[in-house]
Amino acid sequence: MGAAVQGRIGYLAAMTEKPISYSGYPDLENLVYDWHQLPMSNARELPGGGPTLQAHGFTAFPHKTAITTFDESDRWHPAFIREVETILKAATGASEILMPPFPASFRSTSLSGSQGAAHFCHNDYTPGSAARHITALDPARAAARLSKRFAAYNLWRLVSPPPQNQPLALCDARSVSASDFVPGEARFFQPEGEAVW
């Protein structure tokens, strides 16, 4: 495996109040960080052919996109949605994929309108928040969907050539236990008002 690099990751420090993060508005957050320098390795070079969803909770695979320009517009979103649906079905065997109409969230230091990178260790979905996402996306069929087996996935795609200055760090699912999680709130400003997850 290639040489590890050092990365600075913020873990949540002990807090007396409920942690609250605001997507895109870090000045509104009450998060208290405990920063650590940690070794990070290329996941594609893990022994045994790389990480798997079943063992590690994440995977990586090559994909050639038909999209020629990822920019601040939403012109490429429909084509990207179709590609993501194909990727997820192939990777997971899912019979159906439910996605927001515009799923892409920029984490960029060069594209305007970016939310920037999240520098702290976090989990995007919990059993409760996943159910709220499904209900928000398809209220009419939410109960039927939630009565069956489902999974929530994040799919990340690199859209800039190397070298990148904001590497994506993923944690091996086997290194995390239920006691490591701290309940909190993720808040988002939307046209119809503030959303809390």
Side-chain angles (χ1 to χ4, degrees):
M1 194 147 83
V5 298
Q6 292 292 314
R8 188 169 180 256
I9 298 288
Y11 285 82
L12 191 66
M15 296 176 57
T16 57
E17 55 188 347
K18 178 189 286 187
I20 299 174
S21 68
Y22 277 88
S23 181
Y25 298 89
D27 293 344
L28 299 178
E29 298 177 341
N30 69 347
L31 305 181
V32 180
Y33 296 118
D34 181 14
W35 294 95
H36 293 266
Q37 287 288 127
L38 298 173
M40 299 181 188
S41 301
N42 187 343
R44 292 181 178 86
E45 298 178 1
L46 285 173
T52 66
L53 288 174
Q54 294 78 11
H56 305 88
F58 67 94
T59 191
F61 47 87
H63 171 257
K64 186 172 178 60
T65 181
I67 299 166
T68 57
T69 302
F70 290 92
D71 57 19
E72 295 91 344
S73 75
D74 60 6
R75 291 186 300 270
W76 53 269
H77 282 213
F80 187 64
I81 289 171
R82 291 191 295 273
E83 288 188 358
V84 168
E85 288 175 341
T86 301
I87 291 168
L88 287 176
K89 282 188 175 180
T92 66
S95 59
E96 185 181 17
I97 305 292
L98 177 66
M99 292 175 47
F102 298 106
S105 175
F106 289 116
R107 300 289 183 182
S108 172
T109 57
S110 59
L111 293 174
S112 64
S114 168
Q115 297 179 26
H119 296 283
F120 63 96
C121 188
H122 65 281
N123 179 31
D124 283 335
Y125 295 104
T126 65
S129 70
R132 287 195 290 274
H133 279 286
I134 290 172
T135 301
L137 289 172
D138 188 2
R141 298 181 59 197
R145 290 182 189 280
L146 294 171
S147 68
K148 301 175 183 177
R149 190 174 140 216
F150 69 90
Y153 296 99
N154 276 353
L155 190 143
W156 292 87
R157 178 175 188 84
L158 215 55
V159 298
S160 59
Q164 289 87 27
N165 62 353
Q166 297 286 344
L168 174 66
L170 299 173
C171 182
D172 189 330
R174 300 169 300 179
S175 69
V176 181
S177 65
S179 62
D180 294 322
F181 289 99
V182 179
E185 289 182 1
R187 298 185 179 181
F188 305 86
F189 290 118
Q190 300 176 331
E192 61 272 20
E194 184 178 292
V196 179
W197 302 95

